[in-house]
Amino acid sequence: MRTKVNIVSSFMFYMWNKWSLEECMHVFNNDPHFWNKWEYACESGTMGAAERFYAELSDHNRELLVNRACELYYGNRNISDNKKTE
């Protein structure tokens, strides 16, 4: 079940563990603008970069990013890891 806590946790663990150029291209349809935006968010360090990046996105693009996070993570668990143990 998608609770508020589950969604936030999914997003945070996704950004900490999975976020990469390849993921960015997947989420945002191969548009390099978003990777440039990510790099800008990291200019003052990676601490808080996910939050800065998220704040710069439109509502539509936030939804794309969060949906991908929830597709790959269930709270703090990687969904593909869960399937291996079922």
Side-chain angles (χ1 to χ4, degrees):
M1 173 152 105
R2 274 187 160 185
T3 65
K4 291 176 186 176
V5 171
N6 183 279
I7 292 168
V8 171
S9 294
S10 297
F11 174 76
M12 297 308 292
F13 279 91
Y14 170 72
M15 293 304 288
W16 291 333
N17 296 310
K18 186 76 173 166
W19 188 244
S20 63
L21 174 60
E22 293 77 19
E23 273 298 305
C24 186
M25 292 299 124
H26 177 84
V27 171
F28 298 113
N29 200 27
N30 294 313
D31 187 341
H33 164 75
F34 294 97
W35 189 252
N36 293 336
K37 191 177 284 282
W38 169 252
E39 288 179 330
Y40 180 75
C42 293
E43 278 188 357
S44 60
T46 56
M47 183 166 285
E51 294 88 340
R52 287 190 296 275
F53 178 68
Y54 184 85
E56 292 293 323
L57 297 174
S58 68
D59 288 342
H60 169 74
N61 289 320
R62 288 176 182 171
E63 188 171 345
L64 292 175
L65 185 60
V66 169
N67 285 342
R68 178 64 173 169
C70 290
E71 179 184 326
L72 298 179
Y73 282 83
Y74 184 78
N76 66 348
R77 295 177 305 233
N78 184 310
I79 289 175
S80 64
D81 288 345
N82 291 340
K83 289 180 182 177
K84 292 175 192 173
T85 59
E86 291 178 349

